[in-house]
Amino acid sequence: MTTRRHILALTASSLLLAACAFAPPQGAAQPPIVFVHGNGDSASIWQTTVWRFEANGWPRERLHAIDLPYPLARDDDGKAQPGRTSTTEHMAYLKAEVERVLKATGAKQVVLVGNSRGGNAIRNYIQNGGGERTVSHAVLGGTPNHGVWAIKGFREGNEFAGTGPFLTSLNAPKNAAGDEVAGPVQWMTIRSDNNDKFAQPDGLWIGAKGTPTNVTYEGPALKGANNVVLPRVDHRETSFSPAAFDATWRFITGRSPVTVSAPVQAPVVLNGKITGLGLSPTDPASGNYANNLPLPGAQLAVYATDPATGERKGAAVHGKTVGADGLWGPFTAQAGVPYEFVISAPGYATTHIYRSPFPRSSELIHLRAERIAAADKDAKSIVTFTRPRGYFDAQRDRMSFDGKALPGVPPAGAGVSSAKIKLMEDGVRAIPAEFNGEKITGRTWPVSDNRVVVLELTY
């Protein structure tokens, strides 16, 4: 299926050589990049990727991440579903954003970089929306290009069905060689060797353990594209890992990046949007669905915290009642200082979000107000440890939550990006979490006061 396959292994020595041998492109040669998030995600998912581009000299004003208002795909693409988007709506939103960016920058073309479902919109736009003229490079990380499943007669109306009309049309041969992509756009896919939950031969992650999906580990690869394989990365790390950035930078520029990290750069000015959750219109009892709509009237207070105890170090260092745009900043943070973000909004629990220190400025620090699930209301405290830009892999990662293994994380495979602890003890105390060296310590605020706690990883 692949035309060219690479296994990338990043080592300190290779990065040193890259730093010595190459310089980043400069000035007008740097096209605008539009980042397209995946199913249920938001623009904030690209925070660390944007940092890495900036650290290698890409101008911040040429890095754009879209926020699809309703980021979840429909169950059946051809049937309207409140709070969800069709492939046509998704593509139209991307098309409008590309046109906005081209007008704002004066550029003739953009680079499109998508994760998961974002790659579906990119392919649809290039094939059916005029993107073959406005896009120079397309990078698809973990996009299920041949479906999450490919089972005749099974949910074929869904956009993730490999035998359904949407993917069948996108994958139709474009030339005599049978290529699934066509020029003049330059294409690259990035996939895991075997650790992507949505490119598995067994149906475990779609709730059908033991049933063949008819999709292989190579599902995200496309004939005619430059197909890159990264060992052991998970579904999201196909886009958000240092190795994925390295591959993307090389593909766009033809050079090695100087760094794949995000070096500290002061001052650190933060901003972002406060969003909420929609109740399912068809079944309110089923809980919440993600959206990226602003939450006007929400109140935010930001506190510097002690890294060892999570306790606040004095009064709030920033506060705001957000307006119609949902923006909660700007806030000038101190490098090396962890923070607690406290959101209060009618209809939501008071949400305490603890974050490790921010090394650089970002306008993508989006914050979501949460609700307490009915099943959790018997607890004294609810704490969720979450990794937005990747999954937890018990065989690969060094991690702990309140000094123990992460609950709900399977012994093998990377398929879970959050873990929740329901504490049945009274009182407020420190609760630490660690993932591959990144440490966060929060406090156990009481459910009885309608409060929830989130420990959110950056990397």
Side-chain angles (χ1 to χ4, degrees):
M1 180 175 296
T2 59
T3 57
R4 187 153 61 99
R5 185 178 304 165
H6 296 282
I7 299 290
L8 297 181
L10 296 177
T11 65
S13 59
S14 65
L15 288 175
L16 181 60
L17 286 172
C20 296
F22 300 106
Q26 296 297 324
Q30 297 165 298
I33 302 175
V34 178
F35 299 98
V36 190
H37 63 73
N39 201 41
D41 286 330
S42 75
S44 65
I45 204 83
W46 296 103
Q47 174 193 318
T48 55
T49 303
V50 168
W51 281 343
R52 291 178 178 117
F53 271 95
E54 290 175 344
N56 283 277
W58 213 278
R60 177 64 188 87
E61 64 272 14
R62 286 186 167 244
L63 300 168
H64 305 264
I66 70 170
D67 240 347
L68 188 65
Y70 297 102
L72 289 169
R74 293 176 176 179
D75 291 332
D76 187 313
D77 192 46
K79 297 179 180 179
Q81 189 173 5
R84 293 174 180 253
T85 46
S86 67
T87 54
T88 300
E89 292 168 333
H90 197 182
M91 186 262 280
Y93 191 87
L94 174 58
K95 178 182 175 74
E97 179 67 8
V98 169
E99 291 172 353
R100 185 193 69 79
V101 169
L102 290 176
K103 183 177 180 180
T105 62
K108 295 187 181 301
Q109 289 187 311
V110 300
V111 173
L112 294 182
V113 179
N115 174 251
S116 194
R117 188 192 182 207
N120 284 353
I122 290 171
R123 295 186 69 196
N124 198 13
Y125 169 54
I126 292 172
Q127 181 165 315
N128 302 310
E132 77 281 359
R133 297 183 300 275
T134 59
V135 179
S136 63
H137 297 71
V139 180
L140 315 179
T143 297
N145 288 312
H146 295 90
V148 177
W149 61 86
I151 304 169
K152 277 290 185 183
F154 176 70
R155 298 185 63 194
E156 289 189 303
N158 189 283
E159 74 174 84
F160 301 117
T163 54
F166 175 69
L167 287 180
T168 298
S169 173
L170 289 183
N171 293 332
K174 307 299 186 292
N175 51 36
D179 289 342
E180 296 167 308
V181 296
V185 178
Q186 297 184 57
W187 294 85
M188 182 172 76
T189 73
I190 305 175
R191 72 168 178 90
S192 175
D193 53 352
N194 60 18
N195 204 30
D196 185 335
K197 67 183 289 186
F198 296 122
Q200 294 289 323
D202 184 85
L204 171 65
W205 294 110
I206 61 169
K209 183 178 180 179
T211 300
T213 63
N214 299 325
V215 176
T216 71
Y217 302 131
E218 293 189 28
L222 288 168
K223 187 173 182 180
N226 179 10
N227 296 298
V228 173
V229 183
L230 302 180
R232 201 55 188 170
V233 297
D234 61 49
H235 179 65
R236 289 179 178 170
E237 289 172 340
T238 57
S239 292
F240 311 120
S241 65
F245 168 75
D246 180 87
T248 301
W249 179 275
R250 289 170 186 265
F251 179 64
I252 296 170
T253 69
R255 302 177 173 94
S256 298
V258 172
T259 178
V260 296
S261 66
V264 173
Q265 184 182 61
V268 177
V269 181
L270 305 177
N271 203 347
K273 188 168 59 177
I274 293 181
T275 62
L277 297 163
L279 287 172
S280 171
T282 56
D283 183 12
S286 68
N288 305 310
Y289 64 87
N291 65 53
N292 292 319
L293 303 177
L295 192 60
Q299 294 182 311
L300 177 72
V302 183
Y303 299 87
T305 62
D306 185 290
T309 66
E311 290 188 277
R312 295 171 181 173
K313 299 173 73 172
V317 292
H318 177 73
K320 186 174 181 179
T321 299
V322 304
D325 58 9
L327 296 179
W328 61 261
F331 161 58
T332 301
Q334 289 183 276
V337 175
Y339 288 95
E340 174 194 1
F341 298 81
V342 184
I343 306 168
S344 303
Y348 292 86
T350 299
T351 305
H352 301 257
I353 303 171
Y354 292 85
R355 295 287 300 264
S356 53
F358 295 90
R360 305 172 68 89
S361 298
S362 177
E363 297 180 353
L364 297 176
I365 311 301
H366 295 351
L367 307 170
R368 191 182 301 280
E370 302 288 348
R371 297 190 179 104
I372 300 175
D376 293 336
K377 290 185 177 180
D378 61 332
K380 299 294 185 181
S381 183
I382 296 294
V383 184
T384 299
F385 181 32
T386 183
R387 186 179 178 228
R389 293 162 197 88
Y391 292 79
F392 295 122
D393 187 334
Q395 293 179 312
R396 178 193 66 187
D397 302 318
R398 295 179 292 102
M399 53 192 180
S400 65
F401 187 12
D402 203 22
K404 308 177 188 68
L406 276 59
V409 174
V416 176
S417 62
S418 66
K420 182 170 61 179
I421 290 178
K422 292 177 61 171
L423 295 167
M424 297 303 188
E425 62 194 61
D426 288 312
V428 176
R429 65 170 176 84
I431 184 162
E434 181 174 359
F435 177 82
N436 290 342
E438 183 179 353
K439 299 178 181 179
I440 307 174
T441 300
R443 306 290 289 176
T444 60
W445 295 88
V447 168
S448 60
D449 289 344
N450 195 29
R451 296 173 184 269
V452 296
V453 179
V454 178
L455 311 182
E456 182 177 327
L457 289 162
T458 295
Y459 299 101

